[in-house]
């Protein structure tokens, strides 16, 4: 209870109280049950239910305050989370600066040969979008499955990447997709995906958008987000920008334009706020237009992620048409 109270206090002091209340009310958060623990006259089932509710509150409190997901042990040791100045951790976070998300050492300096504008488009066959997956084992567990595939195997996120590639190609946007497994050893994922992304750029130097496609990871107590698009429940999309490169503002401007188009075309599909990681790179120093997209979280279903692919493709087509 104290942890939840302190989390709410943190949100108030950082001008995020309105958004916090919105999140908790959307989840029908039972404040009265938390306060009733220990009240006389409660039956054993009632006491058990209240105890379970308090545990859920602790999970939400921990997440609001620190970004640590008590449902995912990896968040205990993969990074040190610090609440951002602009609000709670779901709006962004700062990673431990010496090793953001276990990205490992830079394999090339930030002024490597790929740090320039993409090459001019010379033919209709030139690739405009390249998609790869740093965490290729990520999956969707909203329908009861595992949230990650077995080590060394591709998960649902790669299927979504292939579907998005097909939708873009059908829309006339030539797109390349890498199904390379990059996280067989999780802490080496960014070292491997760096090489995969570099290989894609070498083969497709006209790439305008280099997309590292993920799904988010959330505490189960927070719940999933969906948007109804064309009558279907779609997983919502978040853009993540790593700021540890001298080109991040160009990537940020591109991300803002994509979100602006999405809000007009499919309101609610994209989260309006970009998530920033001040000490992370995410391979985004390789070229202009390098962004990280998260389609839903592990709490969504595969069907909800699939339903988002078509609308995302239409948004990206309109952006590239400009």
């Amino acid at each position: 209870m104290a942890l939840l109270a302190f989390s709410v206090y943190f949100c108030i002091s950082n001008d995020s109280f309105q958004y916090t209340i919105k999140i908790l009310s959307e989840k029908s958060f039972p404040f009265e049950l938390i306060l009733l623990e220990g009240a006389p006259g409660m039956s054993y089932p009632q006491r058990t239910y209240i105890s379970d509710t308090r545990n859920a509150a602790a999970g939400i409190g921990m997440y609001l305050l620190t970004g640590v997901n008590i449902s995912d042990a990896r968040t205990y040791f993969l990074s040190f989370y610090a609440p951002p100045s602009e609000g709670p951790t779901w709006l962004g976070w700062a990673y431990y600066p010496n090793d953001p998300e276990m990205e490992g050492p830079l394999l090339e300096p930030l002024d490597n040969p790929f740090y320039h504008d993409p090459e001019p488009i010379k033919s209709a066959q030139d690739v405009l979008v390249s998609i790869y997956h740093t965490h290729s084992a990520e999956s969707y567990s909203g329908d009861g499955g595992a949230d990650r595939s077995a080590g060394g195997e591709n998960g649902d996120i790669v299927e979504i990447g292939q579907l998005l590639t097909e939708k873009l190609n059908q829309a006339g946007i030539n797109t390349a997709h890498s199904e390379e497994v990059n996280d067989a050893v999780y802490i080496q994922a960014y070292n491997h995906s760096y090489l995969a992304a570099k290989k894609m750029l070498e083969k497709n130097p006209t790439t305008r958008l280099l997309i590292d496609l993920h799904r988010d990871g959330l505490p189960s107590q927070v719940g999933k987000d969906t948007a109804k698009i064309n009558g279907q429940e779609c997983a919502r999309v978040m853009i993540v920008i790593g700021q540890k490169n001298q080109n991040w503002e160009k990537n940020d401007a591109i991300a803002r334009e994509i979100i602006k188009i999405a809000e007009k075309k499919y309101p609610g599909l994209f989260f309006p706020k970009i998530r920033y990681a001040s000490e992370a790179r995410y391979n985004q120093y390789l070229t202009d237009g390098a962004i990280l997209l998260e389609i839903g979280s592990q709490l969504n279903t595969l069907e909800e992620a699939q339903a988002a692919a078509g609308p995302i493709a239409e948004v990206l087509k309109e952006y590239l048409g400009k």
Side-chain angles (χ1 to χ4, degrees):
M1 183 63 184
L3 180 59
L4 177 64
F6 187 70
S7 302
V8 172
Y9 168 76
F10 170 78
C11 296
I12 295 173
S13 64
N14 285 274
D15 298 323
S16 300
F17 183 63
Q18 183 176 0
Y19 187 59
T20 304
I21 294 301
K22 178 177 180 291
I23 289 289
L24 295 178
S25 62
E26 284 177 352
K27 309 306 177 187
S28 302
F29 195 79
F31 291 99
E32 69 282 1
L33 290 181
I34 296 171
L35 297 173
L36 280 173
E37 186 185 35
M42 289 286 180
S43 66
Y44 177 76
Q46 288 172 319
R47 291 197 303 272
T48 301
Y49 177 63
I50 290 173
S51 177
D52 291 342
T53 301
R54 284 175 61 87
N55 290 336
I60 294 178
M62 176 71 76
Y63 182 63
L64 296 183
L65 182 61
T66 68
V68 173
N69 177 358
I70 62 175
S71 301
D72 186 351
R74 291 172 298 167
T75 63
Y76 302 162
F77 59 85
L78 285 179
S79 56
F80 173 80
Y81 293 88
S85 58
E86 66 269 22
T89 54
W90 60 76
L91 301 182
W93 58 78
Y95 288 105
Y96 181 62
N98 292 330
D99 197 6
E101 205 187 16
M102 297 297 226
E103 285 184 288
L106 286 172
L107 300 183
E108 287 192 20
L110 290 180
D111 59 350
N112 69 78
F114 290 100
Y115 196 78
H116 59 71
D117 292 333
E119 290 186 7
I121 298 169
K122 298 176 181 178
S123 74
Q125 284 70 48
D126 286 339
V127 167
L128 300 183
V129 180
S130 293
I131 300 172
Y132 70 101
H133 309 272
T134 294
H135 295 148
S136 44
E138 290 177 338
S139 292
Y140 297 93
S141 59
D143 50 7
D147 63 4
R148 289 183 63 83
S149 66
E153 296 180 6
N154 283 328
D156 294 339
I157 195 62
V158 178
E159 178 181 332
I160 298 302
Q162 182 56 36
L163 179 59
L164 179 57
T165 298
E166 292 170 3
K167 296 290 186 182
L168 283 165
N169 283 323
Q170 291 167 8
I173 304 299
N174 284 344
T175 301
H177 180 224
S178 171
E179 297 187 7
E180 190 168 335
V181 175
N182 292 307
D183 60 350
V185 179
Y186 190 82
I187 62 174
Q188 296 176 7
Y190 276 95
N191 282 349
H192 287 280
S193 70
Y194 163 82
L195 296 174
K198 181 179 175 183
K199 187 190 305 180
M200 296 192 84
L201 290 172
E202 289 174 335
K203 186 175 182 180
N204 307 296
T206 55
T207 293
R208 272 14 187 203
L209 291 174
L210 177 66
I211 298 174
D212 187 4
L213 194 63
H214 293 246
R215 59 107 177 110
D216 201 1
L218 294 173
S220 58
Q221 296 87 357
V222 173
K224 67 180 180 181
D225 276 299
T226 60
K228 183 160 282 189
I229 307 294
N230 298 329
Q232 286 186 291
E233 293 295 331
C234 299
R236 298 184 71 194
V237 186
M238 179 175 286
I239 299 182
V240 183
I241 297 292
Q243 295 177 304
K244 199 174 180 64
N245 76 79
Q246 57 188 348
N247 199 44
W248 78 267
E249 290 179 333
K250 289 184 180 180
N251 295 332
D252 184 53
I254 290 170
R256 289 177 182 275
E257 182 63 24
I258 290 171
I259 291 172
K260 182 178 177 181
I261 292 169
E263 276 300 289
K264 290 181 179 179
K265 202 171 186 69
Y266 300 111
L269 176 63
F270 278 66
F271 285 97
K273 289 184 179 292
I274 296 169
R275 177 183 285 175
Y276 297 100
S278 63
E279 297 295 334
R281 303 179 300 268
Y282 301 134
N283 301 326
Q284 291 172 4
Y285 52 87
L286 286 172
T287 188
D288 295 350
I291 58 176
L292 191 156
L293 283 187
E294 292 184 344
I295 301 180
S297 74
Q298 87 280 13
L299 303 177
N300 287 101
T301 66
L302 176 59
E303 183 179 9
E304 289 164 347
Q306 291 169 332
I312 294 170
E314 290 299 319
V315 170
L316 298 183
K317 176 184 178 181
E318 185 168 330
Y319 165 74
L320 291 166
K322 293 186 176 184

